[in-house]
Amino acid sequence: MLSPQIEKQLSEIEQQCAALTAAVDSGEPVSLEAASTQLRQLAVDLSQSQEIAHLDAQATQAFKARLQKVVGGIGAQRGSLARRAAIVERGLNAMVPATRESTYGQAAGPYGAAAKQSGAFKLLTA
C-alpha cells in the first residue's frame, strides 16, 4: 500500500499528465508551456520525496506500475508533438518557400563567398 503522500503526488502527476494531453491536443502554446512546467515541478517534488525510499516490495511494484503508465503517456505526447512540429514545418515551407534556400548557398557579399585574392598583398617579403 502506498503512503497517502505518495498516493497524492502520483494522483496529481496523473491529473497533470491528462492536462498536458489536453494542451497538446488543443495546440495552445501558452497552456502547453504551463502544463509541462507544472508536470515537471510535480515530478521533481516526487523524486525528492523521502517516503519513496521506505516503500516495501508490494508498494514498490504498485508505484512502478503507475509511474510506467505516466511515462507511456508522456512518450505518446512527445510523438504527437513531433508530428505536429513536422506539420507546422511543412506548412511554413508551403507558405514561405524562401526559407528552403540553403544557409551556406550563394553568398550575397564577400564574407560568405569563396576565397579570392583582394590584391592588397601582391608581394610578400621576409
Side-chain angles (χ1 to χ4, degrees):
M1 184 80 185
L2 294 173
S3 70
Q5 180 186 0
I6 293 177
E7 179 68 36
K8 179 181 178 240
Q9 287 177 320
L10 278 174
S11 296
E12 288 175 350
I13 287 176
E14 290 166 345
Q15 289 172 355
Q16 193 58 38
C17 190
L20 185 60
T21 301
V24 168
D25 292 342
S26 73
E28 291 291 324
V30 175
S31 63
L32 181 61
E33 183 181 5
S36 62
T37 301
Q38 190 172 0
L39 180 62
R40 187 178 322 115
Q41 185 58 47
L42 289 171
V44 167
D45 292 344
L46 179 65
S47 70
Q48 293 175 348
S49 177
Q50 297 296 321
E51 293 191 23
I52 294 174
H54 300 95
L55 293 176
D56 60 357
Q58 185 179 9
T60 301
Q61 290 300 324
F63 178 75
K64 284 182 180 181
R66 286 182 68 182
L67 209 53
Q68 285 294 335
K69 186 178 175 185
V70 170
V71 168
I74 291 173
Q77 293 166 2
R78 186 176 188 183
S80 179
L81 282 173
R83 284 188 295 278
R84 186 176 295 266
I87 290 169
V88 168
E89 185 174 344
R90 284 187 204 146
L92 181 62
N93 286 336
M95 290 174 53
V96 187
T99 61
R100 294 179 135 176
E101 290 183 13
S102 175
T103 303
Y104 299 106
Q106 298 292 329
Y111 298 108
K116 55 187 172 183
Q117 190 172 0
S118 66
F121 300 104
K122 294 194 187 257
L123 179 65
L124 295 174
T125 60

